[in-house]
Structures are given as C-alpha cells and as structure tokens.
Amino acid sequence: MKENLIVGNFKENIVGINEYLKSLKPNKNNTVVCPNFLELFVASKSNNIKFGAQDVSVFNGGSFTGETSAKMLKKFGVEYCIVGHSERRKFINETNAQIKIKIENLLEEQIVPILCVGEYTFLNYDNSINEINYQIKDISSEMRKKIIVAYEPVWAIGQTKPASNEWIEKICNHLKNCGFKNVLYGGSVDETNSKTILNLPSVNGLLVGRASLNAEQFNKIIDLGEEIKWKTRQH
Ligand code: PGA
C-alpha cells in the first residue's frame, strides 16, 4: 500500500490560521500543516489536523534566548518538524552537524523529523547524488528508518514547475536505496502537477510551499493524495 503524506510549509507567511483551518477539510489524517511558531501555537488547539514546526532548537531548554526546544513542541501537540530546509541551510548557515542534533532531539520526543535534502543546481545525476549523499552522511541507518526525508531540489523551489517526473523518481529511488522508508517530493508542487508526482512509485507524499498557503488550493492536493492512496489500496 502506498501512503501519501501531504505537508504544507507556510514558511514566514501568516495565513490567518483559524479561518484557514475552517476551510481545510476535517479529519484528513494524511495532512500536516507547518505554520510559523506563533500560528502553530494557536493551531495546536485544533484536533482536526496534524501539526508540524518549521524548525527546532539544537538545545534542549534553558538559557537560550529565542529558542524553541523539541520538548516545548511536544507539549503543544506538535507531531512533525521540518529540519534542514535549504532556506535555513543557505540563509541561516545551518550545518549537517546541527541538523543531526535537531533530529536526535526530535526523535527523543517522538516528533517525526522531516529532513529536507536536495542539490542546489541542476547539473547531472552524479553531481546531485554527491550533494545529497553529503547532506545525509551523518544520518545513521536507524534514524533513516524513523524519519521522513523530503527531496527538494533547490533549483525547483519557488519556480513555475517542479523537476521532471523521471528525475524525481530517480532521486527518490536513490533515497529509498539509502534506507529512507518515507520519501516526499517538494519544489513547485501545485494542484495541477501533484497527481503525476504522487503516482511515482518511490514518492510517499509532498512537501508543498506556496500552494499550501491557500486552503482551497491545498484541499485539492490533499484530495489527490487520498484518491491515489485509495486507488493503490485496491491493487
Ligand atoms: P514551493 O516551496 O512549493 O513554493 O516551491 C517548497 C518548499 O520550499 O518547501
């Protein structure tokens, strides 16, 4: 059976979370929304949906001004957390070593880390695999089984179209061969292209940026995820 998880990454955008959640179809257990920390706090009171954070501290609590620990996330009902998004690697200089600690802290609290990996530029297969292998080199085989990995080619994020289906399948298949059980794709996903991506054998779901900001648009992607899961269950 092919499970599809649809994750919305709101980044540094305010969606008006109460209204947003009213428009989102309820009881979608394949859906995770990741608002900023402020809206996450408001949202965590709703039990129609699962929530994720966009980041977590490397510290476990104490005198670390401005930080939010995995323990705190757990306390407020957060079930998932994005780590190592390319925007954090690039603009906040997040390193592999910090990402590993974040994953360990999250697993300790039974929060599922969603580790983002992906090459910066589109050159060729070997280059992409080398870059990705570097990003996952510190993640043990035990961890690989427990976490979700999201393949997000940086060159396809915030663009007009995603990577080609053949390319996505090739890289996601590589990640499967590296021991990751759950592999998502992210990068310019919307309701017009998500069906074919979700149908790829190595893809277990989507990480959606811009197209998750509008609940109606996101509902359509969620419905496709459900439909494909249902279809694959028939075989
Ligand atoms: P996008 O962003 O869907 O707007 O391309 C995806 C992401 O960065 O997670």
Side-chain angles (χ1 to χ4, degrees):
M1 187 176 76
K2 187 162 155 29
E3 294 287 342
N4 279 316
L5 188 71
I6 312 294
V7 183
N9 174 13
F10 298 169
K11 307 192 180 184
E12 198 180 6
N13 295 292
I14 291 188
V15 295
I17 196 72
N18 286 330
E19 286 310 307
Y20 182 96
L21 290 177
K22 273 186 217 149
S23 313
L24 211 64
K25 296 189 182 163
N27 297 324
K28 292 288 184 187
N29 53 16
N30 70 337
T31 309
V32 180
V33 294
C34 304
N36 65 78
F37 281 131
L38 300 172
E39 289 201 306
L40 183 62
F41 173 70
V42 178
S44 63
K45 294 179 177 63
S46 161
N47 48 22
N48 278 341
I49 195 120
K50 292 178 179 175
F51 293 102
Q54 297 174 19
D55 185 36
V56 66
S57 178
V58 288
F59 305 112
N60 261 328
S63 302
F64 301 102
T65 303
E67 293 294 287
T68 302
S69 70
K71 273 195 176 58
M72 290 168 171
L73 294 180
K74 183 70 181 182
K75 201 172 157 108
F76 287 97
V78 173
E79 293 177 70
Y80 295 82
C81 182
I82 298 170
V83 283
H85 191 282
S86 59
E87 287 152 11
R88 296 198 60 83
R89 292 181 196 260
K90 181 172 173 196
F91 300 117
I92 325 281
N93 294 325
E94 199 161 277
T95 64
N96 276 347
Q98 289 168 329
I99 291 165
K100 186 183 174 208
I101 296 171
K102 290 181 181 194
I103 291 175
E104 285 166 349
N105 290 350
L106 290 166
L107 288 176
E108 187 110 334
E109 298 299 328
Q110 285 93 44
I111 296 172
V112 183
I114 302 173
L115 167 67
C116 299
V117 300
E119 73 280 15
Y120 277 82
T121 37
F122 180 63
L123 293 173
N124 54 49
Y125 181 73
D126 286 348
N127 174 75
S128 299
I129 294 299
N130 285 342
E131 251 184 85
I132 291 167
N133 285 351
Y134 175 76
Q135 291 166 345
I136 62 175
K137 73 178 171 49
D138 298 331
I139 313 298
S140 69
S141 51
E142 261 322 290
M143 276 180 177
R144 290 180 192 201
K145 284 185 215 142
K146 292 182 190 155
I147 73 174
I148 294 173
V149 67
Y151 170 51
E152 294 210 305
V154 182
W155 50 271
I157 293 177
Q159 303 300 312
T160 48
K161 54 184 177 66
S164 74
N165 293 330
E166 296 71 28
W167 183 263
I168 296 171
E169 177 56 22
K170 242 178 164 171
I171 307 285
C172 291
N173 186 256
H174 169 74
L175 288 165
K176 283 269 157 86
N177 291 336
C178 290
F180 292 97
K181 281 173 82 172
N182 288 300
V183 183
L184 312 183
Y185 169 77
S188 298
V189 167
D190 63 24
E191 70 280 19
T192 65
N193 55 39
S194 39
K195 191 170 182 167
T196 47
I197 302 174
L198 284 167
N199 267 316
L200 296 170
S202 299
V203 172
N204 304 103
L206 302 168
L207 180 51
V208 187
R210 285 159 300 162
S212 68
L213 295 175
N214 176 295
E216 289 312 316
Q217 205 179 351
F218 198 42
N219 276 335
K220 290 183 188 153
I221 301 173
I222 294 166
D223 282 345
L224 287 168
E226 280 291 297
E227 184 191 310
I228 290 160
K229 187 167 140 189
W230 181 82
K231 261 192 200 154
T232 45
R233 217 176 252 156
Q234 309 306 301
H235 297 121

